[in-house]
Amino acid sequence: MTFIEPGLYVRNGFAEGPLADAALSRATRAGQFLDELQEQAPTMTDGQLRDGVYRALRRFTQEQPRTCQVDSITALIRRGVRIDWPASGRLPCA
């Protein structure tokens, strides 16, 4: 086990601890929100869809997402490309 900071450590290539649990929870919620957006996209305006993508990314990263990233994901969803946001039970560490 490698200690990174209080509440976060790495064991067998996966992050563990309360901070890792919180990050996994954010990733799961952001993925669910993104799935809902993709289902509702045909009935949304471009602005509504873009705002939803922005909020999903912000929920995941807890920072302001880059404009180009929001625009790129919004365009893909609008073209019908399915965006998968997998969140397993553990967070892999590089």
Side-chain angles (χ1 to χ4, degrees):
M1 176 171 47
T2 303
F3 177 78
I4 297 175
E5 64 179 76
L8 183 63
Y9 52 92
V10 177
R11 182 187 318 204
N12 297 328
F14 291 93
E16 296 183 358
L19 294 177
D21 294 342
L24 184 59
S25 177
R26 283 193 315 273
T28 301
R29 287 192 320 263
Q32 291 168 345
F33 187 61
L34 198 57
D35 285 342
E36 292 172 12
L37 279 175
Q38 292 178 92
E39 295 296 323
Q40 299 170 0
T43 63
M44 300 173 82
T45 66
D46 289 341
Q48 290 170 326
L49 181 59
R50 188 179 186 290
D51 181 61
V53 169
Y54 173 87
R55 288 185 289 129
L57 292 176
R58 180 150 180 122
R59 180 175 292 169
F60 176 63
T61 63
Q62 293 187 315
E63 296 177 357
Q64 183 173 346
R66 294 188 316 255
T67 302
C68 61
Q69 186 178 26
V70 173
D71 292 343
S72 176
I73 292 173
T74 302
L76 288 171
I77 291 172
R78 188 55 81 195
R79 283 187 271 164
V81 175
R82 185 76 184 167
I83 306 296
D84 289 324
W85 193 287
S88 65
R90 299 172 75 191
L91 291 175
C93 290

